[in-house]
Amino acid sequence: MDRYDRYLHGPFAPVKEEVTAYDLPVTGRLPAELNGRYLRLGPNPLGVEDPVTHFWAFGAGMVHGVRIRDGRAEWYRNRWVRSAEVADALDRMERGLEPPAFLPPSPNIHVLRHAGRTLALSEAGGPPHELGYELDTIGECPLAATREGSSANAHSKVDPRTGDLHSLAYLLGRPFAQHVVTDPAGTVTHVADLPLPGDLPFLHDFALSENFVVVFDIPLTFDMDAMRFRWNPAHQAHVGVLPRTGGQVRWLPAEPFYVSHVLNAYDDGSTITVDLIAADGPVDVADPGGISPRLDRWRIDLRTGRLEQRCVDDRPQDFPRVNDAYASRQHRYGYSAVTPVYGMQFTPSGPHPDDAFTNALVKHDLVRGTTEVHGFARDAAVGEAAFAPDPGDTQGAEDAGYLMAYVADPERGASDLVILSAQDFTGPPVARVHLPVRVPLGFHGNWIPDA
């Protein structure tokens, strides 16, 4: 099987139907205090022009959601994000016609809640689409829209102290990015241009601390002729630091690097600490299985401009998450996933291949420098886990809450929503919600509590 073609098979294979199921069976006990929806977005192509060169991140977005209330799993739904092109393709299929071989991706990267709206987010400038409570597509939403065409992007981040949404928006072919701040009511309150020092880099994620925005100018740049991002060894890498209140971005030269996702960042006014998933180049984002991602801690000394890079955990992992109440402030714990996206073994302790996992969730204690691993079966594909705070917690512990993730159940040919206690991470799941269908590996999502 071609290395790109693999992203249409096995745990990546798209599903063909939209499904609604009620009163889902549960093993274990759902916490009665959890009321809301767990939503996760990912690509689910309707048609593929060339399977051999298929790019995993292309394809219509599909959101998968489970509604939990009063200790019951009330429903599961999966729905395509219906951009105009996707809606037309689905209409053609309903009439017995073939969909187009290629469709521009509808939002397929991330789903979050802001300004009273549930939003599906895109990469590189595609407008967000608003989703209804039961995951129907309401339509395009101009969240974080600017006169230059920017909008909320794949990794827009909410500051829990202010409620503001911060976006680092970029458009293909444009020589600058924009930092856009949207207040809790959905109004744009701040826009700052970031002129880029060279070719357009892959600005998939960024870091947000209390006082700064950190931008990663990596040597993965957009090739206008090939219309794709390629590793460019001639591109000087930089880390950019922009004050959140505005001003000039400060570009610090760096050795070539690749950043997958940011766990969190914080600062004390003179030093910024960033925990992130990084890798050595060259990389091909169309084939993430060829990347060896690790957890790093970077410190940026704002007085000297020095960048210190330290590996925290060199075992392959990605999709890092933090308790979002600690976003942009100092944190102790982080969570990541060992996933078949990369297809590499993760050994919990020492060189013991028999103990290695290819599917697991990991809890990092960044103060003690320790990890806990919750492993799953070899074919139980797992992706990102979102943190759900325990509404009943009175102690204010950072890890008081739950991790939620879709995990494949190969014996049933379907998936489960697995809920782990963050404080009893290696113990049995608190609950497994048994879904009637398989959920393909995807990208990002959130626990969205009911207001």
Side-chain angles (χ1 to χ4, degrees):
M1 182 184 299
D2 187 273
R3 60 178 180 159
Y4 301 106
D5 192 32
R6 71 184 286 259
Y7 301 109
L8 289 169
H9 299 279
F12 304 92
V15 295
K16 298 181 179 180
E17 295 180 328
E18 295 178 323
V19 173
T20 302
Y22 298 97
D23 296 322
L24 307 171
V26 177
T27 298
R29 185 174 183 179
L30 288 168
E33 65 272 17
L34 290 180
N35 291 287
R37 298 168 298 159
Y38 172 69
L39 307 182
R40 203 223 62 202
L41 193 58
N44 196 82
L46 291 167
V48 175
E49 190 173 21
D50 184 356
V52 175
T53 58
H54 173 67
F55 184 16
W56 182 34
F58 277 168
M62 176 174 276
V63 61
H64 301 260
V66 174
R67 165 77 155 103
I68 295 172
R69 182 169 63 176
D70 298 331
R72 295 174 50 240
E74 291 192 333
W75 52 250
Y76 162 80
R77 285 180 166 87
N78 64 326
R79 297 291 186 271
W80 274 286
V81 180
R82 281 170 161 78
S83 64
E85 295 86 354
V86 169
D88 179 67
L90 289 170
D91 178 67
R92 288 176 56 87
M93 294 170 67
E94 288 176 1
R95 292 185 285 120
L97 303 174
E98 287 292 322
F102 174 78
L103 286 171
S106 63
N108 65 11
I109 303 293
H110 197 16
V111 57
L112 54 74
R113 181 87 172 162
H114 186 67
R117 295 169 169 170
T118 302
L119 300 159
L121 303 179
S122 297
E123 183 75 44
H129 281 53
E130 183 178 358
L131 306 178
Y133 192 88
E134 296 185 343
L135 309 186
D136 54 301
T137 301
I138 295 172
E140 289 189 10
C141 176
L143 185 71
T146 70
R147 290 177 298 178
E148 294 78 12
S150 296
S151 59
N153 66 309
H155 280 284
S156 295
K157 304 178 191 296
V158 175
D159 182 331
R161 284 169 290 193
T162 65
D164 291 338
L165 183 77
H166 292 255
S167 301
L168 181 69
Y170 72 106
L171 294 171
L172 300 181
R174 191 172 71 176
F176 64 95
Q178 290 187 306
H179 171 226
V180 185
V181 181
T182 310
D183 71 14
T187 301
V188 172
T189 59
H190 175 77
V191 180
D193 290 347
L194 283 76
L196 299 169
D199 295 332
L200 174 68
F202 185 53
L203 297 173
H204 178 64
D205 203 354
F206 67 102
L208 182 73
S209 70
E210 182 178 1
N211 296 295
F212 300 97
V213 176
V214 181
V215 183
F216 304 104
D217 175 24
I218 64 178
L220 190 69
T221 60
F222 192 68
D223 184 332
M224 291 295 293
D225 294 330
M227 293 301 291
R228 61 171 293 185
F229 286 95
R230 294 185 183 276
W231 188 261
N232 180 2
H235 183 88
Q236 171 64 56
H238 299 87
V239 174
V241 178
L242 176 74
R244 275 174 51 162
T245 54
Q248 296 295 314
V249 62
R250 181 182 181 185
W251 294 106
L252 309 176
E255 293 299 316
F257 64 90
Y258 170 72
V259 169
S260 174
H261 296 104
V262 173
L263 170 63
N264 197 27
Y266 57 90
D267 72 83
D268 62 7
S270 61
T271 302
I272 307 172
T273 300
V274 185
D275 290 333
L276 72 168
I277 300 295
D280 299 322
V283 303
D284 181 357
V285 290
D287 181 28
I291 300 172
S292 299
R294 64 181 182 269
L295 177 63
D296 276 5
R297 169 162 285 188
W298 294 5
R299 294 188 189 275
I300 304 167
D301 189 323
L302 298 172
R303 295 162 297 189
T304 65
R306 183 181 176 212
L307 172 65
E308 175 191 311
Q309 298 167 273
R310 177 174 67 87
C311 177
V312 174
D313 191 338
D314 64 358
R315 294 171 294 184
Q317 59 197 285
D318 202 352
F319 301 107
R321 296 299 296 259
V322 70
N323 177 345
D324 286 332
Y326 287 77
S328 75
R329 61 188 258 204
Q330 189 166 355
H331 59 282
R332 175 175 178 174
Y333 300 109
Y335 309 88
S336 57
V338 179
T339 166
V341 171
Y342 300 103
M344 301 177 213
Q345 290 190 332
F346 184 101
T347 304
S349 58
H352 307 297
D354 291 343
D355 297 332
F357 295 105
T358 53
N359 298 286
L361 296 175
V362 184
K363 178 183 179 180
H364 295 276
D365 185 330
L366 297 161
V367 172
R368 293 183 176 178
T370 59
T371 59
E372 297 178 79
V373 181
H374 190 104
F376 298 96
R378 179 171 297 276
D379 295 324
V382 61
E384 178 189 76
F387 189 92
D390 179 357
D393 173 57
T394 60
Q395 303 301 314
E398 182 183 335
D399 60 348
Y402 307 93
L403 277 300
M404 297 184 172
Y406 291 127
V407 181
D409 182 344
E411 291 186 5
R412 292 195 305 117
S415 295
D416 295 335
L417 172 59
V418 173
I419 301 176
L420 304 179
S421 167
Q423 294 183 327
D424 184 20
F425 195 76
T426 60
V430 172
R432 296 183 77 113
V433 179
H434 303 295
L435 311 183
V437 294
R438 183 178 59 84
V439 177
L441 281 170
F443 295 133
H444 307 292
N446 278 293
W447 166 251
I448 301 177
D450 289 343

